[in-house]
Amino acid sequence: MGDPSCVGEARRHVAALCRELGFGEVACGQAAILVNELGTNLCKHAQQGQLWIASRQADGPEIEILSVDNGPGIRDLSLAMRDGFSTAGSPGTGLGAVQRLATDFDIHSEVGKGTMILARLRASPRPKQAFQWGVVALPAPGETVCGDSWGVAFDGQRAAILVADGLGHGVHAAQASQAAADQFVKKPFAELRSALDEAHVILRMTRGAAVTRALIDAESDTLLSVGAGNVAIRVVSGTFNRSMLAQYGTVGVQMRRVEETRMAWPPHALVVCHSDGLQSRWPPAAVEPLIGHDPTLAAAVLVRDFGRGRDDVTVLVVRRSD
């Protein structure tokens, strides 16, 4: 985002999203300010800056804005957050204003690598749950829809997750992955092997998809997962790193007998589930500094630094709530 005219375009886009979600005029104005401040900062300070904007309606209307860049990074975050601080001769109220206006705010910066800023606007805070989660899903270059789909569901100390990657790109890939997501929504806590077998039947009317489903239990500290195709799942903490072995096949096309994988889920560990638009050999150290942050930032760092750049990419991250 090096062209200031892009900021105006992003501002108009987020205003339209707010109206679609039924936000009032005040909230629409707040969203416009968030986009304006973050976009202007990218134009003035960042290298290869981007704004990623998403809207959701699952448990209340929500606008999520991610500011992503590749440098130069912020040397002193506490100083940069103060009103009146600026390195570009401006009033210096940008980040402070963003933090005050946003329902949820988080930031991570590393000198030489770049900065991630999350600003989420809701009519009310997210409901209190045993888990925090975040996701980044982007279409392949040149496509207007993402061929991946994802889902999360919560039941007390249990969480269910899904990532589906439709074969190929574009609308038909999105239809295939969405069929898997629709099935997940109906029965998120179903027995995993039978759920994947059922998805195999449902997706026969589509071009098929790589699908991974998992059940996370915070009381027993375990994760149970099944999958077919190149959707990976990994548990990462500062001392623990284990991946699920992907099973060959395409749900809806050809799939072997489903096998479950059980693994430990240590305290503070992240569960990272992603499509093959992300490199499979990303280092655990990439997300370890973000274990205590909003999981959306970990997803964004992985997409920025290890996305293949030629495919749909989805990264879903779940951790225990603080």
Side-chain angles (χ1 to χ4, degrees):
M1 184 173 282
D3 184 351
S5 67
C6 293
V7 179
E9 183 179 347
R11 191 169 57 242
R12 290 187 290 274
H13 175 65
V14 81
L17 289 177
C18 284
R19 289 192 293 270
E20 290 176 11
L21 291 172
F23 277 107
E25 288 301 316
V26 172
C28 288
Q30 290 173 328
I33 293 171
L34 292 175
V35 167
N36 190 71
E37 295 291 349
L38 292 173
T40 300
N41 275 347
L42 289 176
C43 288
K44 290 181 177 179
H45 304 291
Q47 301 167 10
Q48 302 176 27
Q50 300 179 64
L51 285 182
W52 298 343
I53 301 172
S55 62
R56 303 190 186 104
Q57 187 71 283
D59 55 5
E62 175 180 298
I63 295 287
E64 186 174 88
I65 305 162
L66 271 166
S67 170
V68 181
D69 67 57
N70 289 81
I74 302 172
R75 293 188 178 277
D76 189 333
L77 275 178
S78 60
L79 182 61
M81 293 300 302
R82 294 180 192 171
D83 289 346
F85 175 79
S86 173
T87 60
S90 62
T93 57
L95 291 182
V98 170
Q99 184 177 34
R100 288 190 295 273
L101 287 173
T103 308
D104 300 320
F105 175 87
D106 204 350
I107 184 170
H108 173 74
S109 188
E110 187 174 348
V111 174
K113 294 200 70 172
T115 301
M116 299 280 181
I117 304 172
L118 167 68
R120 193 177 289 126
L121 190 65
R122 294 176 54 92
S124 59
R126 278 185 176 179
K128 291 292 184 181
Q129 296 162 336
F131 305 88
Q132 285 188 291
W133 61 276
V135 63
V136 171
L138 300 176
E143 299 289 351
T144 57
V145 296
C146 182
D148 300 343
S149 296
W150 56 274
V152 292
F154 304 101
D155 179 21
Q157 296 296 307
R158 297 191 304 156
I161 64 174
L162 161 105
V163 171
D165 179 356
L167 196 63
H169 308 132
V171 173
H172 295 296
Q175 290 172 345
S177 66
Q178 188 59 48
D182 291 342
Q183 182 225 11
F184 171 84
V185 169
K186 292 176 182 177
K187 295 184 289 186
F189 292 95
E191 193 275 326
L192 289 176
R193 282 179 292 191
S194 61
L196 203 64
D197 285 336
E198 180 182 304
H200 187 50
V201 175
I202 293 171
L203 267 66
R204 283 177 182 165
M205 301 301 292
T206 74
R207 62 170 55 178
V211 178
T212 286
R213 290 182 63 150
L215 296 174
I216 308 169
D217 192 317
E219 288 187 338
S220 63
D221 298 332
T222 58
L223 180 147
L224 187 65
S225 61
V226 298
N230 292 326
V231 172
I233 192 165
R234 190 189 292 192
V235 178
V236 178
S237 73
T239 58
F240 185 93
N241 175 38
R242 184 180 173 192
S243 299
M244 180 193 83
L245 295 176
Q247 179 175 315
Y248 289 107
T250 302
V251 178
V253 179
Q254 185 176 17
M255 189 176 73
R256 298 178 180 176
R257 184 177 181 274
V258 176
E259 300 291 341
E260 292 181 341
T261 298
R262 182 181 296 271
M263 65 182 81
W265 186 38
H268 312 300
L270 302 178
V271 176
V272 181
C273 188
H274 63 84
S275 64
D276 66 353
L278 195 74
Q279 299 171 29
S280 60
R281 296 185 179 274
W282 53 269
V287 297
E288 287 170 3
L290 292 153
I291 286 175
H293 285 267
D294 189 298
T296 306
L297 292 186
V301 164
L302 288 174
V303 170
R304 182 194 66 184
D305 293 345
F306 302 100
R308 297 185 188 277
R310 61 180 184 272
D311 197 359
D312 303 307
V313 59
T314 295
V315 181
L316 172 63
V317 181
V318 179
R319 71 172 179 90
R320 290 173 175 83
S321 294
D322 295 328

